[in-house]
């Protein structure tokens, strides 16, 4: 069985938890922060768990994750 290549871009963006869920960080949190509310910036700091509709596609990109 040949090895499957990992998508390097996906490997940088997504992390697997111990229970097999996929974590990711939200976008729009690094620049033009003056016009964003404090509440919005605070919610952008937190990592999120990927929803079920996208899990299959991301796991295909991370075969050994």
């Amino acid at each position: 069985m040949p090895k499957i290549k990992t998508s390097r871009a996906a490997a940088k963006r997504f992390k697997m938890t111990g229970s097999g869920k996929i974590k990711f960080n939200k976008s729009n949190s690094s620049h033009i922060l003056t016009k964003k509310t404090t509440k919005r910036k605070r919610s952008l700091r937190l990592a999120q768990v990927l929803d079920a509709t996208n899990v299959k596609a991301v796991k295909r990109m991370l075969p050994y994750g």
Side-chain angles (χ1 to χ4, degrees):
M1 188 72 154
K3 290 185 178 177
I4 303 168
K5 284 198 172 183
T6 298
S7 168
R8 297 314 301 157
K12 292 172 190 174
R13 288 168 174 80
F14 300 103
K15 301 286 181 242
M16 295 287 281
T17 63
S19 61
K21 294 178 184 173
I22 300 172
K23 280 179 24 176
F24 70 97
N25 288 320
K26 292 184 183 176
S27 58
N28 301 320
S29 62
S30 60
H31 70 290
I32 314 176
L33 297 174
T34 52
K35 64 171 94 172
K36 295 174 187 158
T37 64
T38 307
K39 182 178 179 180
R40 184 172 166 196
K41 289 185 279 192
R42 192 166 48 242
S43 73
L44 289 172
R45 264 183 258 160
L46 303 172
Q48 295 290 326
V49 176
L50 198 66
D51 62 294
T53 57
N54 298 313
V55 168
K56 188 177 178 183
V58 173
K59 282 193 174 179
R60 196 177 304 125
M61 290 186 268
L62 302 172
Y64 306 105

